[in-house]
Amino acid sequence: MSKKPTPAKRRVYGGIDAGQRVQERRERLLEAALELFATQGYQNTPIEQLCAAAKVTTRHFYEAFAGREALLLALYERIIREAQAVVREALQRPGLDLATRIPQVMGAFIETYVSDRRRAQVGVLEVVGVSPAVEKRRREVIREFAQVLEGYADSLVAQGLLPQRNYHPVSLALVGGINELLAEWLMSGDPSSLQQLHQAISDVMQALLLGGAAMAQHEKKVKKK
């Protein structure tokens, strides 16, 4: 009987196999993309420059990503996923009233998404107008953030803290407004105004949620009469 072929061994150099090397190159390309896309713009950054900054060859680039747009989408996805996780965690933190929770949520969001200006630059501005595929993903992201807020609002409805409403439209409007505030902050060229941005976004959220809480209390009083 003929012997079954043995699986090919993965080549290992310096204790690192081929898969690990691809992952390391991928990480270096993501870091290079964050710096270059944020500082000189996605449209002004060719693949050759990304490769030089990441210290990889063009062949190695295409082992990690299908193209420059795929690299942008991967970077955008990472930035968004980290921001969404932080916001969800802050919204679910127990023992906080609405007035305390809102500034904490915005502080957590700004810490992960805005304090490194490069992340906000890519996540808010550099993904605009790239291609139909990137624009589709950008719109999906806005809806995803809106769904996070909508879910939180629905949980407050269940607790009797907000009136029964469809909170999807207002959540979508709120996320769109926050996105515009971020764009304005990025384009103003004034990094010292970060605290003002934090306050502005917190004020908008408080107007929505605390106003809704006041409406819920008013409706309860009306029903009792």
Side-chain angles (χ1 to χ4, degrees):
M1 295 177 63
S2 60
K3 293 183 179 179
K4 292 183 179 180
T6 57
K9 292 184 178 179
R10 301 173 77 175
R11 294 183 179 180
V12 177
Y13 297 100
I16 301 174
D17 68 25
Q20 289 174 303
R21 289 196 301 277
V22 170
Q23 186 59 35
E24 285 183 357
R25 293 175 193 132
R26 179 183 172 87
E27 290 299 318
R28 293 205 302 272
L29 284 164
L30 286 165
E31 283 299 318
L34 177 62
E35 176 64 21
L36 294 174
F37 291 167
T39 55
Q40 65 187 38
Y42 169 79
Q43 300 292 358
N44 298 322
T45 305
I47 286 176
E48 291 77 14
Q49 189 176 10
L50 288 162
C51 291
K55 296 181 172 57
V56 303
T57 66
T58 304
R59 178 175 67 84
H60 289 149
F61 177 95
Y62 286 106
E63 285 179 354
F65 297 101
R68 190 174 55 133
E69 185 176 307
L71 172 57
L72 174 66
L73 280 169
L75 177 60
Y76 183 47
E77 205 68 36
R78 172 175 290 186
I79 292 168
I80 293 305
R81 289 293 169 235
E82 290 174 359
Q84 288 175 341
V86 165
V87 169
R88 284 194 180 94
E89 191 278 329
L91 285 173
Q92 294 167 5
R93 201 171 294 156
L96 299 175
D97 60 25
L98 281 177
T100 305
R101 185 181 305 278
I102 293 167
Q104 286 210 7
V105 170
M106 286 302 97
F109 172 74
I110 286 172
E111 178 63 28
T112 188
Y113 191 55
V114 183
S115 59
D116 184 345
R117 193 182 180 95
R118 300 175 305 170
R119 295 165 66 86
Q121 180 73 26
V122 172
V124 175
L125 295 180
E126 294 306 317
V127 293
V128 175
V130 171
S131 71
V134 176
E135 181 60 21
K136 179 176 180 289
R137 182 62 191 131
R138 190 180 76 86
R139 296 299 307 165
E140 289 172 350
V141 165
I142 290 175
R143 288 194 294 272
E144 286 171 7
F145 271 109
Q147 286 168 359
V148 172
L149 293 182
E150 184 183 357
Y152 179 58
D154 288 344
S155 73
L156 296 178
V157 170
Q159 299 171 54
L161 297 176
L162 286 182
Q164 185 73 44
R165 296 283 189 278
N166 176 9
Y167 284 96
H168 178 71
V170 72
S171 297
L172 198 60
L174 182 57
V175 172
I178 291 171
N179 195 68
E180 286 303 307
L181 284 172
L182 288 169
E184 187 68 21
W185 174 73
L186 287 163
M187 296 176 72
S188 72
D190 181 14
S192 65
S193 62
L194 187 58
Q195 183 56 41
Q196 294 175 1
L197 175 68
H198 181 183
Q199 189 61 53
I201 296 175
S202 294
D203 287 347
V204 172
M205 285 195 69
Q206 284 182 320
L208 168 65
L209 295 179
L210 296 182
M215 287 173 60
Q217 291 300 318
H218 175 71
E219 289 183 359
K220 286 179 181 178
K221 289 179 182 179
V222 170
K223 288 179 180 178
K224 288 181 179 178
K225 290 182 179 180

